[in-house]
Amino acid sequence: MAATKKAILGPLVGAVDQGTSSTRFLVFNSKTAELLSHHQVEIKQEFPKEGWVEQDPKEILQSVYECIEKTCEKLGQLNIDISNIKAIGVSNQRETTVVWDKLTGEPLYNAVAAPVSPGPSVPVAVVRSGSSVPAAGTSSVWLDLRTQSTVENLSKRIPGNNNFVKSKTGLPLSTYFSAVKLRWLLDNVRKVQKAVEENRALFGTIDSWLIWSLTGGVNGGVHCTDVTNASRTMLFNIHSLEWDKELCEFFEIPMEILPNVRSSSEIYGLMKISHSLKAGALEGVPISGCLGDQSAALVGQMCFQDGQAKNTYGTGCFLLCNTGHKCVFSEHGLLTTVAYKLGRDKPVYYALEGSVAIAGAVIRWLRDNLGIIKSSEEIEKLAKEVGTSYGCYFVPAFSGLYAPYWEPSARGIICGLTQFTNKCHIAFAALEAVCFQTREILDAMNRDCGIPLSHLQVDGGMTSNKILMQLQADILYIPVVKPSMPETTALGAAMAAGAAEGVGVWSLEPEDLSAVTMERFEPQINAEESEIRYSTWKKAVMKSMGWVTTQSPESAKRACILNCRATELLI
């Protein structure tokens, strides 16, 4: 019997999407941006002590191999020839820190984790000009807090009116970013100290660990990162696009352990045979794209113009606004970060980044704490039954208020209740709360950028809720645009890989970009009603303030430090 003829689809591009809770490998058609197949593997988080969150770098690497192998098998079942995969991109959880031995390839300690999105637990301490200040967003359950004392000690060395860390990096001095995690490892893990002394240690975020391992590891593996991941370490000068000697001296980090910084789209190295991959699947395929997850989503949403923004709805929300070649420093608690640099000779683009602390987390709270829904999907049905909150407002300030309020004494409230109010109205008010918080961050972005948004592009799990999307359009009073293909993070990594010089299978020229089917939500209320609802929300926010007032000065100080810890919207 003749062999089944393989389907010819033109050049394909793969993307590793490595997150905190899972790893995926996805394959796209570079001409149509169609997702052809993918595989996902869950990964474990370890909690050796309270406030400590770690992951096994070897398990992460093995999950990548498994996802590649299984996806290739699925493509074979679809009669798609894997030899058509011409490039691989990497998108990764940012800030998570790995140190490994370049001679043995063994990690010297578990990866010290950072959250992928803000959630409702303890926020992270942030320091500016030597003092603790509040910052927006709370940490997720994945946040590692062991570096708090490291941050406090470092903060004492910053001159009172000269926060050179923020001016060089766009970031505050915080437990969230890689430099303090690496400093902790150097101070506390003898195996790391010894490897550094013997010139055996390499440092990287997850992208660096994966690229080094996939390109050969101890046998010539490429030790590199891209500008987006480097910009989240607190060691990288976002103006010169280089590791900064003064910052490395400040954190006492030896520069020789740092990866080479490359653009987000160029050939870093070729896939090498691994005993973990059957028949050397994808051997010799270039790894040619690398972006931190939120930057990858910005690229996947094709936000290539100044003022274009995307919002990813998950446990919290991540908002990025492209500010073009201009490095905009926020006056409203947002981060300045590198958006992307799509080629060695291409210009760098910057972004303002902010986050909503409680988005999907408030839905889980209604499910797990109040029990008014049995599943997260049920909230759309409840909200649809009434179509209004009937004057009920829900401020989910579970750990205080963040941008633009910076008020740690606040606590969550549900107000405007009447005898008529029922669980459907509360469900509707919870969805509105996500939208009101998003508007507050977008208003801050508008004030910082001076470019009012014409529309908001959205992605993430919560965007399947049509009531939420319509509410967001009404409350922002601009259209909300959702792509029909939800895998924007992986798509961004694939686009960067396929567009790299020497690969050239994915054009990023505006006239060549595939037309993506979009679902568009237009405002359905008038501007006056939108403003009235927003102003009433602000009144409810004011009512949430000042609840934590009965502590002693010392315990109040401790509570303030705890409650003003944050993940993303940091001063």
Side-chain angles (χ1 to χ4, degrees):
M1 186 174 174
T4 306
K5 189 175 180 181
K6 297 285 187 182
I8 300 173
L9 295 170
L12 310 180
V13 180
V16 174
D17 183 5
Q18 206 299 300
T20 309
S21 57
S22 70
T23 298
R24 299 184 304 158
F25 185 68
L26 307 90
V27 174
F28 296 89
N29 184 325
S30 67
K31 300 306 179 189
T32 64
E34 177 190 1
L35 174 62
L36 300 177
S37 187
H38 75 283
H39 189 75
Q40 176 170 326
V41 171
E42 301 298 317
I43 56 175
K44 291 186 299 225
Q45 295 156 3
E46 300 176 20
F47 307 91
K49 292 185 182 180
E50 185 177 358
W52 291 29
V53 188
E54 299 176 359
Q55 292 178 305
D56 181 353
K58 293 175 76 173
E59 182 191 356
I60 291 173
L61 178 60
Q62 185 56 42
S63 72
V64 171
Y65 286 137
E66 183 178 344
C67 286
I68 291 173
E69 183 181 314
K70 296 294 185 184
T71 302
C72 288
E73 288 176 4
K74 291 177 182 179
L75 289 171
Q77 291 163 9
L78 295 169
N79 290 324
I80 296 172
D81 191 343
I82 64 171
S83 69
N84 284 326
I85 297 176
K86 304 302 182 185
I88 295 170
V90 175
S91 169
N92 58 287
Q93 52 169 309
R94 303 173 299 174
E95 294 93 17
T96 295
T97 299
V98 188
V99 180
W100 67 96
D101 189 318
K102 66 184 178 184
L103 301 182
T104 67
E106 291 294 309
L108 296 165
Y109 192 79
N110 275 344
V112 182
V116 285
S117 62
S121 59
V122 183
V124 168
V126 181
V127 176
R128 183 174 85 178
S129 301
S131 61
S132 292
V133 296
T138 52
S139 72
S140 70
V141 294
W142 310 289
L143 181 59
D144 191 285
L145 297 175
R146 76 186 73 187
T147 55
Q148 180 50 43
S149 61
T150 304
V151 167
E152 289 167 357
N153 290 333
L154 289 167
S155 71
K156 295 169 187 173
R157 294 166 46 199
I158 294 181
N161 60 353
N162 177 27
N163 192 344
F164 68 93
V165 174
K166 186 181 179 187
S167 66
K168 286 172 178 274
T169 67
L171 309 174
L173 183 56
S174 164
T175 58
Y176 184 69
F177 303 106
S178 307
V180 290
K181 300 176 191 297
L182 179 53
R183 183 67 258 155
W184 185 92
L185 290 169
L186 291 167
D187 288 339
N188 293 279
V189 180
R190 180 57 193 150
K191 281 175 70 175
V192 172
Q193 295 165 356
K194 194 166 188 293
V196 169
E197 291 164 6
E198 296 174 0
N199 196 30
R200 292 184 287 108
L202 296 178
F203 154 79
T205 42
I206 293 296
D207 57 302
S208 298
W209 164 243
L210 293 180
I211 292 171
W212 183 83
S213 300
L214 295 173
T215 56
V218 296
N219 298 309
V222 178
H223 186 216
C224 69
T225 188
D226 91 300
V227 289
T228 68
N229 282 294
S231 75
R232 311 295 291 192
T233 61
M234 274 197 309
L235 300 170
F236 185 71
N237 188 312
I238 61 175
H239 310 286
S240 66
L241 302 182
E242 296 174 329
W243 298 120
D244 190 280
K245 188 169 185 291
E246 184 184 14
L247 289 168
C248 290
E249 287 173 353
F250 175 72
F251 289 103
E252 298 180 87
I253 303 297
M255 295 184 76
E256 58 270 18
I257 73 172
L258 303 179
N260 292 319
V261 181
R262 312 277 285 271
S263 76
S264 308
S265 177
E266 62 179 273
I267 295 175
Y268 312 115
L270 307 180
M271 283 280 289
K272 296 285 175 69
I273 285 182
S274 165
H275 62 83
S276 301
L277 284 177
K278 289 179 183 174
L282 306 188
E283 183 195 3
V285 174
I287 299 175
S288 52
C290 181
L291 291 152
D293 51 10
Q294 299 308 318
S295 289
L298 194 73
V299 171
Q301 286 272 26
M302 302 179 202
C303 293
F304 294 132
Q305 302 299 317
D306 295 18
Q308 283 189 299
K310 69 89 193 172
N311 192 22
T312 300
Y313 294 76
T315 301
C317 295
F318 276 110
L319 296 92
L320 262 72
C321 179
N322 187 332
T323 63
H325 307 308
K326 186 169 60 173
C327 211
V328 176
F329 282 85
S330 175
E331 298 295 325
H332 303 93
L334 308 178
L335 298 181
T336 304
T337 195
V338 175
Y340 53 82
K341 186 178 187 293
L342 295 174
R344 274 181 290 196
D345 301 322
K346 301 288 185 181
V348 65
Y349 282 76
Y350 295 96
L352 277 175
E353 179 172 342
S355 61
V356 169
I358 309 292
V362 77
I363 313 306
R364 285 203 300 273
W365 184 83
L366 292 176
R367 182 192 68 193
D368 299 341
N369 293 38
L370 293 194
I372 69 172
I373 53 174
K374 291 193 173 90
S375 69
S376 298
E377 294 71 29
E378 215 178 304
I379 193 163
E380 184 174 9
K381 182 183 173 187
L382 287 182
K384 192 173 183 179
E385 282 183 30
V386 288
T388 175
S389 66
Y390 199 71
C392 171
Y393 284 78
F394 187 166
V395 182
F398 296 140
S399 298
L401 284 168
Y402 303 96
Y405 301 102
W406 320 123
E407 184 49 70
S409 72
R411 288 297 178 268
I413 64 166
I414 301 174
C415 58
L417 301 174
T418 71
Q419 286 181 311
F420 181 71
T421 307
N422 62 34
K423 66 181 182 179
C424 297
H425 299 115
I426 293 172
F428 196 95
L431 294 180
E432 280 190 316
V434 176
C435 301
F436 286 130
Q437 291 177 97
T438 296
R439 173 160 175 184
E440 289 178 327
I441 301 306
L442 285 180
D443 281 356
M445 283 186 171
N446 286 340
R447 291 194 295 273
D448 284 327
C449 293
I451 311 170
L453 290 179
S454 60
H455 65 278
L456 178 67
Q457 293 170 232
V458 300
D459 55 68
M462 289 186 78
T463 61
S464 61
N465 186 321
K466 292 184 184 296
I467 298 283
L468 176 70
M469 294 295 96
Q470 186 57 57
L471 278 172
Q472 190 68 85
D474 290 344
I475 288 166
L476 295 177
Y477 207 66
I478 58 173
V480 167
V481 180
K482 173 193 169 188
S484 57
M485 203 288 291
E487 304 294 351
T488 53
T489 301
L491 177 61
M495 289 167 65
E501 184 181 352
V503 177
V505 299
W506 204 313
S507 172
L508 299 184
E509 295 302 319
E511 64 272 17
D512 296 330
L513 289 171
S514 302
V516 178
T517 308
M518 297 281 190
E519 188 172 4
R520 190 176 178 94
F521 297 84
E522 298 281 351
Q524 292 184 354
I525 62 176
N526 61 46
E528 184 182 10
E529 183 184 346
S530 179
E531 289 304 316
I532 288 170
R533 284 161 67 173
Y534 186 44
S535 63
T536 309
W537 157 264
K538 286 182 170 291
K539 184 160 61 171
V541 168
M542 298 306 291
K543 300 286 186 188
S544 74
M545 296 182 187
W547 286 94
V548 182
T549 57
T550 57
Q551 298 156 306
S552 68
E554 189 56 36
S555 63
K557 181 181 176 184
R558 285 197 302 271
C560 183
I561 289 172
L562 285 173
N563 282 325
C564 294
R565 292 171 179 164
T567 59
E568 288 291 15
L569 289 173
L570 308 173
I571 287 185

